[in-house]
Amino acid sequence: MRLRGLFRSSKPHSILVKWVLLSTIIGFLTGIFVSLLEIAVMETLNDIFGLVLRNPWLLPLIPAAGLTLTGLIRDRFVENSYLHGTEEVLDAYHYRDGDLSLKDVPGKIIASILTIGMEGSAGLEGPSIHIGGSVGAALRKLLAKIGIEEDGRILLLTGAASGIGAIFKAPLTGLMFSLEVPYKDDMAHQAVVPALISSVVSYITLVSILGAEPLFRHFRPFKGLDLYVIALSLIEGLLIGIAAIFFVKLMDYVERICRGKKYVYRGLIGGTSLGALGLITLLIYGGLYPLGLSYDLVRASFSVKDPYFFLIMAILKMIATALTLGSAGIGGVFIPSIVIGASLGSALSALDPDAMSLFVAIGMSSFLSAAFKTPLASVTFVAETTGSESYIIPGLIASAVSYLITGNYSLPKNQKYVESARIEELERVKVKELMGPPPPILSSEITIKRFFSEHFLKDHTFSVFPIASKDGKLIGVVTINDVDSVPPIEWDRTKLIDLVRKVEFLDPEENLMDALDKMYDYDMCCLPVIDHETGEVVGTLSADAIIRLLEHKRKLKKYPIFLRR
């Protein structure tokens, strides 16, 4: 009883205590599961890499086997085979009120280990976000069983933040990415405090198991910001933005080619092609640079001065990632974007070889910003994973430019503009789900004086009234504003028929967006709802009710400590 009282309380202190508790649970569990995921993938990668070095002829077979098995899992053992990782979390956020299917989680996590562990070009952040989001969704369902209802969307993003914060050992990146990625032009502000807490807890949990060494610790700090550096940042942001558009189009192209085919066949073709690409790279360059996680390629990008090599590697990484994730692979595209950005940055360092680390750092942040529409998360990622804050301002400049250059292009297909997300929410709700009680039908022959004395003074509930003719047929509506426009001296000789507006009544089965369009066309704040089969007035719908629905969905009143200042 005390626990239920805490969760139902609207006091700021109780809300904060509640979210500290929930976020800590999510962060701790996600940190453990992500640690196990990283151990499994890295062990598999090490074993595969050693096998390839001893038997190079096996290389074409390994990605083919990994992606074919992944395709088999997607075809046979998961219900929602189309979505995974970040895309599935965004789908749950925008369309299912944070409800993430838990039955598919084991199969998709095993598939991600097969994809990445067997040299597929994908990132660990995809399954990590999925794990975190699943922990949040599972906690919501557990609470519901004991009669406690919580916001599934906030719990979902809280879990996503903990997944990112853990896998990259970057809690601020986890926070910023989870808030930015749902929208192209805004942030999910309501999840700030829970996401912050869970991201920190998951980071502490993972580093307690695997250590706290940054991903890319050998970056040299950059000192001194001047007009020259700003100009370089602007130029690199522009070029990186163009490259990001190409990458998004390439990913879409490969997915379109594979669409409609079984995942097992897609995996066989994509994996074989990927293996052939890896073998060519091994024979020419002596390494598997475009395959797997490619962390070594990032580390080499700020120490090896070979612009042409890194330009080629950036292109090959784009192709490898498109073959992996466009065919049947399950994994993230965040890390491939970082690798591509680092390689392009190293290639662009030919403009000024002494500023190589600067080019690489802002290449990573600007490419990620362009591909994911997450400029703040992109810059914080570089700062946290390199251990240097000196790249923040140049990175912000380049990220802002690349963000603008890419326009509507972005990798996550379920990422929305705020307004379009609200429109889609309204299109999924029918009028009958929100309409209120029906207003009384008034005769067109009564005067305004009778209307006020017999109807309005007795009941102020309605502001729009359907009007019927002498034969009982509905002919339109009269609003309170229409009546108020008539001088009182004329009330006893003015009939409602003189004020009737002809409108198209709402249908119970149409959606709220269409209803709003009609209200806008008629310049009215509400309209009666009519069952067109029977001709009866069955309800009324107001714009205020639609606004309250949107407010309820955002939980604006339930979480004042996080949303109001």
Side-chain angles (χ1 to χ4, degrees):
M1 291 296 292
R2 185 175 298 177
L3 182 63
R4 290 185 183 180
L6 172 66
F7 277 73
R8 291 173 179 171
S9 173
S10 60
K11 296 179 180 178
H13 174 73
S14 298
I15 293 174
L16 182 59
V17 171
K18 174 187 69 175
W19 280 109
V20 168
L21 176 62
L22 293 178
S23 302
T24 300
I25 294 172
I26 293 173
F28 177 71
L29 292 176
T30 302
I32 291 176
F33 291 139
V34 170
S35 298
L36 295 175
L37 171 70
E38 182 170 352
I39 291 170
V41 170
M42 298 311 293
E43 288 294 328
T44 304
L45 277 173
N46 289 335
D47 292 342
I48 293 295
F49 185 71
L51 182 63
V52 168
L53 289 181
R54 293 191 300 271
N55 305 281
W57 58 273
L58 286 175
L59 181 56
L61 304 178
I62 291 171
L67 291 182
T68 301
L69 289 172
T70 298
L72 183 64
I73 291 173
R74 295 180 74 167
D75 283 333
R76 299 284 185 88
F77 301 106
V78 298
E79 291 182 358
N80 186 359
S81 61
Y82 178 68
L83 295 171
H84 60 88
T86 305
E87 289 289 0
E88 187 158 7
V89 169
L90 291 179
D91 178 80
Y93 179 84
H94 288 300
Y95 302 120
R96 289 180 277 142
D97 199 29
D99 185 20
L100 195 64
S101 173
L102 302 179
K103 291 186 292 185
D104 290 348
V105 176
K108 290 181 178 179
I109 297 305
I110 292 171
S112 69
I113 294 173
L114 288 171
T115 297
I116 305 169
M118 299 186 77
E119 299 298 344
S121 178
L124 286 168
E125 81 289 341
S128 298
I129 290 175
H130 198 167
I131 288 172
S134 300
V135 171
L139 184 58
R140 179 199 187 186
K141 292 177 181 179
L142 180 63
L143 291 172
K145 287 184 178 181
I146 60 175
I148 299 173
E149 293 294 332
E150 284 302 329
D151 191 319
R153 287 154 55 102
I154 292 181
L155 289 170
L156 186 76
L157 293 186
T158 301
S162 62
I164 288 285
I167 196 62
F168 292 141
K169 302 177 185 178
L172 185 56
T173 300
L175 168 66
M176 299 308 300
F177 186 80
S178 67
L179 301 183
E180 283 188 295
V181 76
Y183 302 107
K184 294 181 179 182
D185 60 342
D186 203 349
M187 299 175 71
H189 308 89
Q190 70 270 35
V192 172
V193 173
L196 171 63
I197 296 169
S198 71
S199 186
V200 171
V201 171
S202 67
Y203 165 78
I204 293 173
T205 303
L206 182 133
V207 300
S208 299
I209 300 171
L210 301 179
E213 181 179 341
L215 287 181
F216 314 120
R217 60 184 176 131
H218 298 298
F219 263 70
R220 291 178 297 173
F222 175 79
K223 296 181 180 179
L225 181 68
D226 52 26
L227 290 178
Y228 175 71
V229 172
I230 292 174
L232 290 180
S233 302
L234 292 170
I235 293 171
E236 184 166 3
L238 172 64
L239 297 175
I240 291 290
I242 295 171
I245 293 174
F246 171 78
F247 182 49
V248 173
K249 288 187 173 183
L250 178 63
M251 292 285 291
D252 288 340
Y253 176 72
V254 175
E255 288 178 7
R256 283 200 308 272
I257 291 176
C258 296
R259 194 170 296 152
K261 302 178 178 65
K262 285 185 174 292
Y263 281 105
V264 66
Y265 300 133
R266 291 167 59 166
L268 178 61
I269 296 170
T272 303
S273 304
L274 183 64
L277 178 67
L279 182 60
I280 292 171
T281 307
L282 180 64
L283 294 176
I284 296 177
Y285 297 104
L288 303 177
Y289 299 110
L291 275 60
L293 295 171
S294 301
Y295 286 162
D296 290 340
L297 189 59
V298 176
R299 297 184 181 106
S301 65
F302 52 82
S303 59
V304 178
K305 295 184 179 182
D306 192 343
Y308 296 108
F309 167 79
F310 285 105
L311 178 60
I312 293 171
M313 288 302 109
I315 296 172
L316 293 181
K317 187 65 178 177
M318 290 184 189
I319 296 172
T321 305
L323 289 173
T324 300
L325 299 177
S327 58
I330 287 183
V333 73
F334 186 110
I335 276 297
S337 298
I338 288 295
V339 175
I340 295 166
S343 300
L344 289 173
S346 189
L348 290 171
S349 69
L351 298 173
D352 186 351
D354 294 332
M356 177 179 286
S357 289
L358 173 67
F359 276 101
V360 173
I362 62 178
M364 291 194 294
S365 62
S366 58
F367 195 92
L368 187 62
S369 171
F372 276 90
K373 298 298 181 187
T374 54
L376 298 180
S378 305
V379 174
T380 55
F381 173 84
V382 172
E384 288 185 296
T385 56
T386 63
S388 175
E389 71 284 353
S390 59
Y391 300 107
I392 290 178
I393 296 179
L396 276 174
I397 295 170
S399 295
V401 173
S402 64
Y403 173 93
L404 295 172
I405 288 296
T406 48
N408 292 327
Y409 291 101
S410 70
L411 290 171
K413 293 180 174 57
N414 285 314
Q415 190 179 52
K416 306 293 181 184
Y417 287 104
V418 170
E419 290 305 319
S420 67
R422 289 173 180 166
I423 290 172
E424 288 179 358
E425 285 182 3
L426 296 179
E427 288 175 342
R428 293 195 300 274
V429 181
K430 294 183 178 181
V431 167
K432 65 181 181 182
E433 299 175 42
L434 197 64
M435 66 183 185
I441 300 174
L442 305 182
S443 170
S444 61
E445 297 303 311
I446 69 172
T447 64
I448 295 178
K449 186 175 182 179
R450 276 188 62 190
F451 163 75
F452 263 94
S453 61
E454 297 178 9
H455 297 283
F456 186 72
L457 292 178
K458 293 180 180 180
D459 186 1
H460 298 288
T461 304
F462 304 102
S463 60
V464 175
F465 298 86
I467 306 300
S469 60
K470 291 181 181 180
D471 58 3
K473 183 179 179 181
L474 292 174
I475 58 175
V477 298
V478 168
T479 72
I480 293 300
N481 289 336
D482 296 331
V483 172
D484 191 50
S485 66
V486 179
I489 195 173
E490 298 181 12
W491 282 9
D492 58 350
R493 59 176 179 268
T494 303
K495 296 182 178 181
L496 294 185
I497 194 171
D498 299 323
L499 305 176
V500 167
R501 296 191 194 190
K502 292 188 176 182
V503 299
E504 182 181 353
F505 293 98
L506 300 180
D507 187 280
E509 296 298 325
E510 67 182 310
N511 64 60
L512 297 186
M513 196 62 225
D514 290 341
L516 271 182
D517 286 340
K518 289 182 180 179
M519 292 181 196
Y520 178 81
D521 290 340
Y522 297 125
D523 192 24
M524 298 173 65
C525 63
C526 60
L527 281 172
V529 183
I530 291 184
D531 185 333
H532 289 284
E533 292 184 1
T534 64
E536 296 181 3
V537 178
V538 295
T540 185
L541 180 69
S542 68
D544 285 343
I546 297 174
I547 292 171
R548 286 195 298 271
L549 173 69
L550 290 174
E551 288 181 343
H552 175 71
K553 283 181 172 292
R554 297 293 183 271
K555 300 292 192 279
L556 293 177
K557 295 180 180 180
K558 191 172 182 180
Y559 302 111
I561 191 171
F562 303 139
L563 297 177
R564 300 188 180 185
R565 295 289 181 269

